[in-house]
Every structure is written in structure tokens, then in C-alpha cells.
Amino acid sequence: MVTEEGRNQQDPDQPERSVPDRPTLDGIEQRWSAAWQEQATYRFDRTADRARVYAIDTPPPTVSGSLHVGHVFSYTHTDIIARYQRMRGREVFYPMGFDDNGLPTERRVQNHFGIRCDPSLPYDPDYTPPDKPGKEQVPVSRRNFVELCERLTIEDEKVYEELWRRLGLSVDWSMTYATIDARSRAVAQRAFLRNLARGEAYLAQAPTLWDVTFRTAVAQAELEDRDRPGAYHTLAFARTDSEGPATGNGDVVIETTRPELLAACVALVAHPDDERYQSLFGSSVRTPLFDVEVPVLSHRLADPEKGSGIAMICTFGDLTDVTWWRELQLPARAVIGRDGRLLADPPDAIVSEAGRACYAELAGRTVHSAREQIVTLLRAGGALLGEPRPINHPVKFYEKGDRPLEIVTTRQWYIRNGGRDETLRTALRARGGELHWHPPHMRVRYENWVDGLTGDWLISRQRFFGVPFPVWYPLDSDGLPRHDQPIVPDETMLPIDPSSDTPPGFTDDQRGVPGGFAADPDVMDTWATSSLTPQIAAGWGSDDDLFARVFPMDLRPQAHEIIRTWLFSTVLRSHTEFGTLPWTNAAISGWILDPDRKKMSKSKGNVVTPLDLLEQHGSDAVRYWAASGRPGTDTAFDVGQMKIGRRLAIKLLNASRFTLGLGVVEDPGAVSESLDRALLAALADVVDAASTALDGYDYTRALELTESFFWRFCDDYVELVKGRAYGSFGAQGSASARAALAIALSTILSLFAPFLPFVTEEVWSWWKPGSMHRARWPEAGELRKFADTGDPRQLEAVSTALTAIRRSKSAAKVSMKAEVASAQVSGDADLLALVAAAAADLRSAGSITDLSFVEGAGDLAIDVVLA
């Protein structure tokens, strides 16, 4: 330890510790990142009892090329909590995952290599992608495509890990996973098989939201509305009790934005209370152009204020069409295929020669082209009344897609989520009430999502790079799959790929032949795997000892916009499998906003990459900015805050160098002077308040308290006791100041450690053994033992007097070292007594010749006469 003379008494097993003459922030990230790795500073102790473990369900970032400053923002928040809990004596389970399956990875691989997947092609073991991708994407087999996905994600993950280490995340890098690795595939497939066995997973042929670009189904949680231009088209349907074609004279008039779906019309619908259509309910009309008879029905979802108050039901134009179709038990007449074009053959209901000829002019067209053509046909036939009226209206998109979604009838896998089961919905809503939300109002978003569910969770995707469903189907004598008789593997076989693995009781030469078997062709939605991150990280099914120590976990940190997807689905999977929440706390981060107050995102092209920021300002400075963003609150990107953070880190270096350069007194019993005790009493209050804030996941409040105290420590206390610490008033006063300075510095470093890990570790290494980040969090009670007679008001009162003296010098435009001929302090007797008790320190710090005290009333007042 550093003695009073400022010399090091070295432990032979410890590296030499000394205070540098010129401390700097340069290079400390690389130095300490390497040291933490070498010394396994953040390695999780697998022998720790569950009661001592603090487990974090770390968000696995999507591996799609690069991280952005929003990642730095939210992951810093998690790391602050991890570091705090570690210093509180908890053994922190803090793994890192990489979310590398799903559409973002596929898109990146397609663009990077200039390829596309064609499952019909055979595997080429010698395939090498082109060095320079051309304009046309080269088709490759599914297996070749998956291999390239795996190759690129491994490269991306190395870049991610490098940046996380540079940021100072205290992750245990020996415990990483990827959502497509063997462990994750086994967990996802095991969970699915158990859902299937309990009846929670099921296969159904049903109307499905479909992205025509990616050629895959989309779940409710992945939708977003985007305003798009459209038009209302007014059409006349002929009543079946009238003669001749629709002319608009005495016919039923509807307004639609999707005339291209006219061939899929199965009914007209109006509200049951709409007086205009009472006489029509139970009758029928004939569709223009296609001459198909359809009924006129009533349903509560029909809006009397929208258009003409009566609408056509098509299979399917939107989700309301699906509801009407299901509840009114209507037939299905599909016209749009999976490629987003109108099908080649018309629905069977179109039987007239003229109707089939009209449909032939639409077949094979895109939705947009078909809309233009049918408007031409309707106008020519007299069934279009007036011209289309332009509007802007919300249209549903897949959140990663570029074209409006269609609704296509397909066979898909679903998991029951309460959308059609009130009992399950109620139970999941109650789980949200059990969870501790930080901030608390985020619970409402969860409840709103659960209350608004309209159907079960669609988990299958018609993609290539994902976790395959562990299912085969027997083929009948015609070679058709029996979807009602799925073949599943034993859990001991997992993970499997049914496209290459053989089901029990079959041989591979029976694949695809009558009487043999076929693999389920789909993969799971990425959320179906990500909803199991606690189970994956904790080793469910593969490491029972670890699982028992860390599950259920303590914390799920995440952004607010994926409460509906990641948080809800994780709660669902844990509820159905274990009958419990997957974690106790949910800490929700806000977004990063650009200068125009818009969310930063790759899709908007307004993101800032973090590496330049880390190199320019330093990791601690960037972390300081991130920690200034309150939990759950959107925060503006602010380089100015980073500059403040860098100045704070530099000040911490310099203040520490000064304090330690005085020579450290390690004996707390040496703190004898009232001002020193006041300092430690005030610091005890800060420790209490900062600990309470961090216990409540309010890291911003904890940083504010610590920083505010630190600047008072530097600007006031250090200046007040500097002379005494140098020995101006004797050995006892000097020892008291140096002991208080050492205790305060150690405590301040601890309070800053979760926020500024590099600079605090640097200073700690100058005079303490071991890592700052394995040191014990300060206890307010211990500080108060040293300062049982300390009054925090004394530090404030003496600081007020010193500030007034400085202000006088500043107003006179003289040096802060200028002599003060006299200073008279007046005020309430108790405040006056506190200042008088530190008169020697105040006189020394202010260079005061004559310091006097006059009892008065009210707050302190200082009358200064400069020399």
C-alpha cells in the first residue's frame, strides 16, 4: 500500500504500483480489455449458489453487418447493472449471444455474395462464390446458401465482439451462443416438440399474411402500418331481382380500394343496424364483370360511416375480410398467389364465358397492373361509377419488407398465445403483473399487446437459413403427405435437419416416394428461437447444473418496441414449459434520436457507427453519454455529452493523482477533523442514494448523484484541505485530511466504476491490488462509522463561504490566489458554528488575513474585502 510518505510497499506477487507523473486516457481501453481477458476478471463462477447469482438474459444483436450507436446506448445500460451487481457481491451470469438466423442475415448474404437460394438445385461441395458479385444473383442450393450464411456471420460476430470489448462490456466471453448453432437448434426443436405434444403447437391451412418479396408468411407482431396513396373506386352490383347488367340505377353501390380482388368477392356486408340495407339482408347480388351471385349479409364490423356503408368481402383483402369469412362461414376464392400475381386460373365460381374472358386479361399480372386493367374493364362495362377518388390510407407491411402484404391461404405452424383462448390470455396478462418493470409504465405496452391479440402466433417461415421444424410426414400411395400424421424424433436425436436426416423406421431411399416420407420444408420464425434465449444461454437440456443455478433469470434488458415480440414471446414459452416467468425484472431502453428527433435505424439511413466515437472520445466518455439517457426514455444523440464525459474522466485521473501524491493514510481512525468527517457523512448519503437508484435500475440518477458529489469534492473540499494535507496545521490535521481523501477517493472510484470502467480501473491500479471491478461496493454504514460526528451541512456551509469569496475575486478580475484582507461571515448561529469549526481550512483556501463571524438571521452571507 502507499504509505504516508507516498512510497509503495509492494506485495511480491503483485505488479509494481505507482502514480504516473502524467496520467492519460490514451490506450487504456486496449490495455485493460487485454488484462480483463487474461485475468478472467468477469468469468462466471459456476459453483455459486442460485441465491448469490445475478443472471442476465442479454439481448443477442442481429448479425447483419455492423452495430450502430443505438446498440452502444442500450448495451451500456445493461453493463452498468452487471458491474454494480458484481460489486454488490453477486456472481453475475452475463453471456453474449448473436442472433444470426432469419431474413436480415439472408438479405446480407444475398447482397454480399451476389447469390440467391434455389432449393431445387443439388448441393455443390466445391462451390465458391464470385469474388465480385454481378448485377444478377447466382442461384445456389439451400445447403450451399446456408454454408455461406454461417461463414459470413462468423466474420461479423468477431467484429461485434471486438467492439463490445472496446466498449468495456463485462461479458463472460467464454459463454457465447448463436441462434443458429447446434445448442440453439436443439433447444428450439425441443421446445417445439413439447409444445406439439401438449397441443400448444398445431398445423393449419388458413389465410396468412404474406410478404410477396421474401415469399414467406409474417406474424402479427412483425406488422407495421405505412401510409400509402390509394383510391376509392365506386362499383355497382346488380341485384338478382333486377334484370340486365349493373348500371348504377337501382343497384347496390359499394366503394373499394382494391377492385383487383373483385373476382375473389364472396359477399357484400353492412352493419345490422344500418337502415339503408335492411331490405337487402338475405338477398343476393351479382358481381360486375364476373357475374357471380353473392349474398348480402350483416356483421357488426361493417362501418356505416365508411364509403357507402356496404362493403364487398373478398378472400382476402385485409384482416377484416378474414374475420368476416371465418365468422360468416363463407367460401374461399383465392386470386393472388405467393408471388404477388393473380393466379392463372379463375375461381370455380366464375362460370360465364364473359367472366372467364375478363379474368384471363388479369391472370399473371401484378396487383398494381391488375388494378389498372380491371378499372379499364369496369369503366368499359359501365359498372364503374365516376372516376377513382385519390386517398392516403394505412397499408400493412412486413417490418422488413418493401411491398404491401397480401393474404394468402397456406399451411403453417402456429403456437397458441391467448389470441383465441381467453384463459391463456388472462394468465399471460397476469404474468406481466408479476414482472418488475423499469420504468413501471412499460407494463402498459405489454398489457395492450396481450389484450389486442387477434390470433395465434404463426411461427413457420418459408425461408432457408433458420431452425428447421423437426417433423416428417408419411406419404400416401399417391405420394401426397399426410399432414395429420406427423412423424417426430426423440429428443435425444436433436438437433436434426429433416431434409437430410431420416425419421425413425424409414431409410433414406424412401424419401419423397409413395409410401415413404417427406420433410417439413419450413423453418421457424427467428422469434421462435429468440423467445428461448434464457433456456439457450442457461443450457436447458444440456447442462442441468448451470440451468439450476441461473434460471429463472434476474434481468431481461431490451428496447421498448420489441415488448410485443421478444418479451411477450419469451414470457409465453416460459409460462407454458415451466409455469413461471423467465426473469424477475425487465429493464426497458429507449431509442436514440437523430438531430431531427427521429429514431436512428439502418433502414432510415441515419445511424452513426460507434467505432469512430469510441476512438475520438474514449469508451468511458461514450458510456457516460449513454448512462445519461434515462430508463425507457428516447434520447438524442449528443457528442457534447461525450465531451463532458471525457473531461470528467480526465478530471478523475488528475484529482486521483493529486490525492495519492499527497501520501495516503490508510487508517480510518485518523479522520479527526470535523470538515473531514462532514465530507464522509455527505458521501455516505450519496452512497445510500446511488445504491437505492441502482437497485431500482435508475442508473442515470446514480450517475448524477456521484458526479455532483465528485465536482464538489474537487472544487471545494480538496481546495479547502489542501494546505492542511500538506502539513500546514500539524501532523494530526494532515493525517486526518489525507485519510479522508483516501477514503473518499476509493468510494468515488467505486461509485463511478459501473459507468467509467477503464479510468476507474486505471486509478485503482496505482494504489490497490486486484481489479476495481471485483472490489466491494461501498457501504454507507461503514462511512458513517468514521463520521459519526460529521454533519453533511458543514461541507455545504463551508463550500458556500468559499464560493462567495471566489465570486468576489472573479468580479474584481483578480487571481483566485489573491489575498483577502478580511471576510466576515454572518447567518444563523448553527450554520455559523459549522463554518467556524473549519475556519483554518477556509482561511487557508481563500487566502484570508482576517476571518470573523457575526451571528445574524437567515442564510449565510459573506462580506469580502480584498487586500
Side-chain angles (χ1 to χ4, degrees), residues 290 343-346 354-365 373 377:
F290 304 110
L343 297 172
D345 298 321
R356 296 179 77 84
C358 281
Y359 187 86
E361 295 195 41
L362 307 176
R365 292 177 181 261
Q373 180 61 19
L377 295 173

Side-chain angles (χ1 to χ4, degrees), residues 80-100:
I80 290 167
I81 299 300
R83 289 179 177 278
Y84 168 68
Q85 292 291 344
R86 195 177 288 112
M87 294 178 74
R88 288 303 293 256
R90 307 288 293 276
E91 194 57 43
V92 177
F93 178 72
Y94 188 15
M96 178 62 75
F98 298 101
D99 189 9
D100 48 10

Side-chain angles (χ1 to χ4, degrees), residues 724-794:
R724 177 156 55 87
Y726 280 130
S728 301
F729 311 130
Q732 180 176 327
S734 175
S736 178
R738 285 185 284 156
L741 283 164
I743 294 167
L745 179 61
S746 174
T747 305
I748 289 168
L749 289 174
S750 297
L751 293 175
F752 272 130
F755 306 94
L756 313 176
F758 292 104
V759 70
T760 52
E761 186 79 297
E762 174 73 7
V763 173
W764 191 262
S765 72
W766 297 347
W767 66 311
K768 297 276 190 179
S771 172
M772 163 92 265
H773 304 295
R774 284 289 183 175
R776 191 164 55 87
W777 185 257
E779 296 289 341
E782 293 187 4
L783 286 171
R784 290 194 176 99
K785 287 179 186 176
F786 316 146
D788 53 354
T789 60
D791 186 340
R793 295 181 307 154
Q794 183 182 19

Side-chain angles (χ1 to χ4, degrees), residues 362-384:
L362 307 176
R365 292 177 181 261
T366 64
V367 166
H368 178 76
S369 175
R371 183 178 303 150
E372 291 181 334
Q373 180 61 19
I374 202 166
V375 168
T376 300
L377 295 173
L378 286 164
R379 186 182 288 117
L384 179 68

Side-chain angles (χ1 to χ4, degrees), residues 126-147:
D126 300 319
Y127 177 75
T128 302
D131 290 333
K132 294 182 178 179
K135 292 183 179 179
E136 294 294 322
Q137 292 184 337
V138 179
V140 298
S141 73
R142 175 173 173 172
R143 185 171 168 186
N144 286 123
F145 185 79
V146 169
E147 286 178 353

Side-chain angles (χ1 to χ4, degrees), residues 657-694:
R657 176 181 174 277
F658 168 78
T659 298
L660 297 176
L662 291 169
V664 175
V665 174
E666 294 290 345
D667 178 14
V671 183
S672 58
E673 300 301 312
S674 64
L675 186 60
D676 304 333
R677 289 176 174 269
L679 171 80
L680 299 183
L683 184 52
D685 291 342
V686 173
V687 169
D688 256 346
S691 301
T692 299
L694 285 167

Side-chain angles (χ1 to χ4, degrees), residues 75-268:
Y75 281 76
T76 296
H77 299 164
T78 306
D79 188 62
I80 290 167
I81 299 300
R83 289 179 177 278
Y84 168 68
Q85 292 291 344
R86 195 177 288 112
M87 294 178 74
R88 288 303 293 256
R90 307 288 293 276
E91 194 57 43
V92 177
F93 178 72
Y94 188 15
M96 178 62 75
F98 298 101
D99 189 9
D100 48 10
N101 79 66
L103 285 172
T105 300
E106 286 193 21
R107 178 183 279 182
R108 172 159 161 70
V109 169
Q110 288 170 346
N111 295 335
H112 184 84
F113 292 112
I115 61 170
R116 62 179 175 84
C117 182
D118 183 347
S120 67
L121 293 177
Y123 172 65
D124 178 359
D126 300 319
Y127 177 75
T128 302
D131 290 333
K132 294 182 178 179
K135 292 183 179 179
E136 294 294 322
Q137 292 184 337
V138 179
V140 298
S141 73
R142 175 173 173 172
R143 185 171 168 186
N144 286 123
F145 185 79
V146 169
E147 286 178 353
L148 291 173
C149 287
E150 291 171 340
R151 170 175 146 186
L152 191 58
T153 54
I154 288 171
E155 294 174 14
D156 286 342
E157 286 161 13
K158 290 177 182 176
V159 175
Y160 279 30
E161 181 177 337
E162 232 174 89
L163 190 139
W164 288 143
R165 288 181 183 276
R166 176 65 184 264
L167 183 63
L169 296 193
S170 58
V171 163
D172 182 348
W173 289 104
S174 69
M175 309 188 88
T176 58
Y177 67 87
T179 57
I180 200 64
D181 64 21
R183 174 172 41 152
S184 295
R185 294 199 307 274
V187 168
Q189 291 180 338
R190 180 183 301 111
F192 169 78
L193 290 175
R194 295 192 179 188
N195 288 138
L196 183 63
R198 291 192 296 263
E200 295 151 4
Y202 63 91
L203 190 65
Q205 180 95 1
T208 307
L209 287 161
W210 187 266
D211 188 287
V212 299
T213 301
F214 292 113
R215 306 283 180 90
T216 185
V218 175
Q220 181 184 352
E222 298 168 305
L223 305 182
E224 64 181 36
D225 285 337
R226 300 179 194 169
D227 282 339
R228 286 294 183 269
Y232 269 126
H233 303 75
T234 305
L235 310 184
F237 283 65
R239 296 178 60 161
T240 54
D241 56 6
S242 64
E243 296 181 1
T247 63
N249 185 16
D251 299 318
V252 181
V253 176
I254 67 102
E255 292 188 356
T256 179
T257 59
R258 302 209 61 182
E260 70 276 10
L261 295 180
L262 183 59
C265 180
V266 291
L268 299 189

